[in-house]
Amino acid sequence: MREHTFTTVGEVKRKKGEIPEIGIAVIGFGFMGKAHLNAYKKIPYIYWPPVVKINLKKLCGIPEEQVKENQIRYGFKEYTTDWKELIKDEGIQVFDNCGPTNLHKEPCIEAAKAGKNIFCEKPLGRNAGEAKEMLDAVEKVGVKHMCGFNYRFVPAIRLAKDLIEKGELGQIYHFRARYLQEWIADPNFPFVWRLSKKVSGSGALGDLGAHSIDLARFLIGEPKSVMGITKTFVKERPKAEGSREKMPVDVDDAVAVAIEFENGAIGTLEASRFCPGKKSQNIFEINGSKGSLSWDMLRLNELQFYSTKDEAKGIGGSRTISVTESFHPFYKEWWPHGHIIGWEHTTIHEIKHFLEAVVKGEEISPYGATFEDGYKCAVICDAILESAETGKRIEIGY
Ligand SMILES: NC(=O)c1ccc[n+]([C@@H]2O[C@H](COP(=O)([O-])OP(=O)(O)OC[C@H]3O[C@@H](n4cnc5c(N)ncnc54)[C@H](O)[C@@H]3O)[C@@H](O)[C@H]2O)c1
């Protein structure tokens, strides 16, 4: 057992003037905008001594009254409703895109051309073509780029990756993932941007399945081929709450996929927003020749681990690892062991990783997801949609 130690003020070696300052622009103050801003607020005092001085320079969003209010709420110096204003501002070094998916490509490409480091939420583009244009733009200029696959920053998931890399699971046979929600199961739930292909690119697949696809690549390796089935259960919805006017739904409500990996493992993946009672069940299980692992977002700090070594010792059974030790990934800056953390912390770890890469010139990959990972995920999503449409198994080619 080890004691948890905290960094104290006396350990601060850096003089004030040596901490680099970076100007930050954020598009969006909705769900993910709030999660990212929570991270920008906490990073300077949770990670001590600070590696970066955060200057919240400009917030962009619509409508104007709400942007103004959120400028005050989060302490931005300025606000705008026009993302092009962010590109022109030379005091902005980090461009953080938390807008809807149709607002990812053009602003990110323009930001890259202006030399800004870019964080863009997932899915990177509405399709692989858009994602490739974005990847090419950041690579051409050489700025840092990250795509918001935040589950890579769950301590238990990073521990799972470490255990797999150390060979604790042996040869991997299976990956099984589900990401299930309930919020559109009611056919009267009104139309929102996530139900329009023009805005979001796809439905449950890009919204939820993309996270499982990224974890599959992160933990198991590259997929070789996919076979998918998609379904749209409710094909039109009220334009607004209580409205008689209807809007067509042209994205998948649910998707089921069979995957074959390059390394010989096989897997299944399911994503749906039609599962009453499932608020946000993000879950996976991995089976290998020497053991198994499983994780469930609703028990975020726990990793279920079974090792055949325990069987040989006469112990047997699956164990629950409380991933809250100071020696576990990402944990040492938080609380004494057992004092659990939550979903918001994944974004804090992720954005801290990004900012550190920007100020120290470090790599985002392999632990953080780059635009290349965002592009590869988009290729897999497109292949799943093609398979669902043609009834054929589709080979993955990047
Ligand atoms: N990593 C995750 O776990 C996760 C979770 C949810 C959403 N996301 C992704 O984050 C992105 C945003 O999703 P959200 O749930 O935060 O959406 P949201 O609807 O809650 O917020 C969207 C924001 O975009 C702004 N916006 C919309 N149109 C605009 C325009 N024309 N110009 C400027 N600003 C505009 C709005 O003001 C709003 O603040 C999506 O790509 C989504 O897939 C990621």
Side-chain angles (χ1 to χ4, degrees), residues 88-137:
K88 285 186 220 151
D89 190 331
E90 288 180 2
I92 289 166
Q93 289 84 38
V94 161
F95 183 85
D96 185 343
N97 194 333
C98 296
T101 314
N102 64 331
L103 204 63
H104 288 185
K105 187 185 100 171
E106 202 190 343
C108 286
I109 290 178
E110 292 308 315
K113 284 185 191 160
K116 302 190 190 310
N117 301 286
I118 308 175
F119 189 112
C120 183
E121 263 307 330
K122 50 58 58 183
L124 189 58
R126 285 173 290 187
N127 51 53
E130 280 197 350
K132 182 69 167 60
E133 283 184 60
M134 295 167 76
L135 171 62
D136 289 346

Side-chain angles (χ1 to χ4, degrees), residues 29-32 61-62 98-100 104 121-122 148 150 193-194 211:
F29 44 81
F31 177 15
M32 286 319 282
I62 50 169
C98 296
H104 288 185
E121 263 307 330
K122 50 58 58 183
N150 52 314
W193 69 260
R194 283 182 161 85
H211 280 299

Side-chain angles (χ1 to χ4, degrees), residues 229-275:
I229 301 173
T230 57
K231 198 84 189 170
T232 304
F233 300 115
V234 174
K235 296 195 167 47
E236 53 175 30
R237 289 181 178 270
K239 190 171 181 185
E241 206 169 337
S243 166
R244 286 179 170 213
E245 202 181 330
K246 300 279 185 186
M247 292 288 284
V249 175
D250 56 0
V251 295
D252 53 289
D253 284 333
V255 58
V257 190
I259 312 176
E260 182 190 14
F261 292 87
E262 294 278 1
N263 61 11
I266 60 169
T268 57
L269 190 155
E270 204 186 339
S272 173
R273 304 183 287 203
F274 266 72
C275 301

Side-chain angles (χ1 to χ4, degrees), residues 19-23 52-55 77 93 359:
I19 302 168
E21 177 174 311
I22 46 178
V52 59
K53 197 171 164 205
I54 289 170
N55 173 9
K77 303 240 167 14
Q93 289 84 38
V359 296

Side-chain angles (χ1 to χ4, degrees), residues 301-315:
N301 295 272
E302 294 177 2
L303 187 66
Q304 302 297 326
F305 177 48
Y306 169 81
S307 171
T308 52
K309 284 187 221 161
D310 287 346
E311 194 100 346
K313 286 182 205 155
I315 302 168

